[in-house]
Amino acid sequence: RLGELSSKDCRLQDWRGREEERQQMHRMETRRQEQQVSRRIRDAMVQQHEEMRQMRMDALARNEAVEKRVEQCRMQLSQAAEAKRASNEQRFQRQSHLFRNKCIEEEHRKESIRMRLAEQERSVERQRAVIESQQMGKRLVAAAKNDEKEQAVERMRRSYEHSLRERTHKLSQMEE
């Protein structure tokens, strides 16, 4: 039995040795796995940190791009407003100029009409004066003709009276 014990002991010792070796291998494997996990966790944290840094940089770049675009939009808006104001000012100047020109043209037209009206009035006055002088001349000629007729009638009457007197005188001389 001693031999058996010893072989049992031997087997037990072998088992214990293998078990210890297995446990030591298991511990080493566990340590190695823990180190791998730690390394993976550390790599994951570094990667996550790098990703977060990249995301922050991207966010900053996006914010800068947005701010730049907002500034561009503001500039475009102010340029558009300035262009609109300038356009309105030019249109106002053009319309004022056209209005002034139309007013000036209207004044010239009115002045031209006044001048034509004054010229027509002068022409009418001249024609009226000519007509009055012609009528006056006709009246004078008519009056002269009338005077001549009256004088002719008067001469004829006197001549008739004279001839009557002479006849009467001849008749009276003859009778005597």
Side-chain angles (χ1 to χ4, degrees):
R1 273 193 131 170
L2 268 171
E4 280 183 26
L5 274 176
S6 67
S7 92
K8 275 185 181 180
D9 280 340
C10 228
R11 277 187 295 186
L12 183 65
Q13 287 221 345
D14 279 345
W15 179 81
R16 278 186 185 153
R18 281 192 309 259
E19 188 61 29
E20 258 183 52
E21 210 177 284
R22 192 181 62 76
Q23 283 180 358
Q24 192 176 9
M25 289 294 283
H26 181 65
R27 279 192 298 268
M28 282 176 54
E29 183 64 28
T30 303
R31 230 180 279 128
R32 189 178 59 77
Q33 285 179 353
E34 284 175 353
Q35 287 174 350
Q36 284 179 350
V37 167
S38 293
R39 193 174 340 116
R40 275 186 269 156
I41 288 173
R42 189 175 56 245
D43 289 347
M45 287 178 69
V46 166
Q47 185 178 1
Q48 184 181 15
H49 178 69
E50 185 61 32
E51 285 176 0
M52 287 177 68
R53 189 182 68 75
Q54 187 63 40
M55 286 172 57
R56 278 194 305 270
M57 289 177 64
D58 290 346
L60 285 173
R62 279 193 307 272
N63 285 344
E64 287 176 10
V66 165
E67 287 176 9
K68 188 176 178 181
R69 181 67 184 143
V70 165
E71 186 61 31
Q72 285 176 345
C73 288
R74 283 184 184 146
M75 286 181 61
Q76 288 174 349
L77 186 63
S78 68
Q79 288 172 350
E82 181 61 29
K84 177 85 172 172
R85 188 199 62 73
S87 171
N88 287 343
E89 181 67 25
Q90 287 175 348
R91 187 175 10 163
F92 175 75
Q93 292 296 331
R94 228 178 11 256
Q95 288 174 347
S96 320
H97 184 70
L98 289 174
F99 180 71
R100 276 194 300 271
N101 284 346
K102 284 184 179 182
C103 288
I104 291 170
E105 287 175 10
E106 188 64 28
E107 285 300 317
H108 285 310
R109 201 172 307 122
K110 285 179 183 177
E111 185 62 31
S112 170
I113 290 170
R114 279 190 218 115
M115 289 173 61
R116 277 187 273 154
L117 183 61
E119 182 62 35
Q120 286 175 352
E121 286 176 358
R122 284 192 295 270
S123 175
V124 165
E125 285 300 318
R126 282 194 301 266
Q127 288 175 356
R128 194 175 291 147
V130 166
I131 289 172
E132 280 183 22
S133 69
Q134 286 174 350
Q135 286 178 350
M136 184 60 90
K138 286 179 183 177
R139 281 189 215 128
L140 288 175
V141 168
K145 282 183 182 178
N146 207 11
D147 281 347
E148 247 180 73
K149 279 183 190 176
E150 287 178 8
Q151 287 176 3
V153 167
E154 187 63 31
R155 275 194 307 259
M156 282 177 67
R157 188 182 59 77
R158 279 192 220 140
S159 152
Y160 183 69
E161 283 179 357
H162 179 65
S163 69
L164 274 176
R165 267 188 252 138
E166 280 186 7
R167 274 190 212 160
T168 325
H169 184 58
K170 273 186 190 176
L171 281 175
S172 60
Q173 273 181 6
M174 277 197 217
E175 281 182 4
E176 297 181 9

